[in-house]
Amino acid sequence: MTNKYVIAPSILSADFSRLGEEIRTCEAAGADWIHVDVMDGHFVPNLTMGPFIVEHCRRITNLPLDVHLMIEKPERYLEAFAKAGASGLTVHVETCPHLHQTLQDIKSLGCKAGVVLNPGTPVGALESVLHLADLVLVMSVNPGYSGGKFVSESFARVAEVRKRLDAIGSSAWLEVDGGINPENISRMRDSGATAFVAATAVFKHPQGTAVGIKALRDAIARVETR
Ligand code: ZN
């Protein structure tokens, strides 16, 4: 069964000392994808995980692994992440001078091709590659800065991307990432988002990971029954 709206917990906020258990809990609680935030300490200040962690996740779960590459020259690592078991590879417009080629390369590796915009990048930067994208990700925080604040212009930016996707008849997922919680998720859905990355709202939920996922799912459902 495929949900119309995807919840993709970002393991960035998981307890890495028991990552396997955390991922299995997400799966049992109905998470659709596992989101892996890869940061290189150059494109973004933080430094996180590489293909090894993706490989580890692949052994634990059959859920799609949604790998978000916040790294310079991502083209150097596409094959390594694909081999590690990534289902989708999402690259930043800001890091890819040959974006059209890079998206084609991702597809030729058998992965879904995703493209992502930082909050400061005009939506128009996607125009010439939109038809190639299986997923468009709109960052709703500035990536890689811990405790980054939710960027409220993101609602309008998501709506703008939705308009452009609909205009070309694209069925690409429209994903949001950064500060997503049960309070803002329904407005994101109304703006046109279909996939929701959540880190803190899932893994740091006071009643635990499973309740965190349920709270997001309930919040999306509430919108649908209005
Ligand atoms: Zn991400």
Side-chain angles (χ1 to χ4, degrees):
M1 184 195 83
T2 311
N3 286 313
K4 188 176 172 194
Y5 298 108
V6 156
I7 294 176
S10 164
I11 56 169
L12 194 57
S13 294
D15 177 352
F16 266 69
S17 69
R18 40 184 208 89
L19 183 60
E21 195 185 320
E22 293 269 64
I23 290 174
R24 278 187 281 268
T25 304
C26 286
E27 191 167 356
D32 302 282
W33 303 342
I34 298 296
H35 187 81
V36 183
D37 281 312
V38 179
M39 306 183 185
D40 67 352
H42 293 280
F43 175 56
V44 292
N46 279 354
L47 190 58
T48 60
M49 45 203 134
F52 177 77
I53 296 287
V54 172
E55 205 183 313
H56 186 66
C57 294
R58 183 75 296 157
R59 284 200 299 268
I60 295 163
T61 179
N62 290 321
L63 290 179
L65 300 176
D66 175 34
V67 178
H68 175 192
L69 298 175
M70 287 168 271
I71 62 178
E72 286 180 358
K73 297 189 170 60
E75 60 278 2
R76 291 177 301 176
Y77 297 102
L78 299 177
E79 197 175 346
F81 280 104
K83 277 188 178 155
S87 313
L89 292 171
T90 301
V91 293
H92 274 259
V93 168
E94 302 84 5
T95 63
C96 291
H98 304 290
L99 185 58
H100 192 277
Q101 180 68 48
T102 304
L103 294 176
Q104 286 179 324
D105 290 347
I106 293 172
K107 286 168 180 278
S108 68
L109 288 164
C111 294
K112 301 279 183 205
V115 62
V116 43
L117 294 168
N118 272 341
T121 304
V123 168
L126 289 175
E127 197 64 53
S128 57
V129 295
L130 214 49
H131 63 290
L132 289 175
D134 298 306
L135 176 147
V136 176
L137 170 54
V138 175
M139 287 306 302
S140 39
V141 298
N142 285 293
Y145 296 84
S146 41
K149 266 190 72 177
F150 181 79
V151 176
S152 57
E153 295 92 326
S154 306
F155 297 113
R157 288 167 57 77
V158 166
E160 177 62 27
V161 174
R162 168 51 57 209
K163 219 164 63 186
R164 289 172 187 245
L165 286 172
D166 290 350
I168 62 164
S170 169
S171 57
W173 293 100
L174 175 44
E175 187 175 49
V176 285
D177 184 359
I180 299 301
N181 59 41
E183 285 69 53
N184 60 25
I185 198 168
S186 60
R187 193 172 162 201
M188 274 302 183
R189 185 262 173 190
D190 287 348
S191 303
T194 52
F196 307 87
V197 176
T200 311
V202 169
F203 292 106
K204 306 291 185 204
H205 193 283
Q207 289 156 270
T209 299
V211 178
I213 290 174
K214 187 173 185 305
L216 292 171
R217 185 75 72 200
D218 290 349
I220 296 174
R222 271 203 301 276
V223 174
E224 290 185 288
T225 55
R226 255 183 213 163

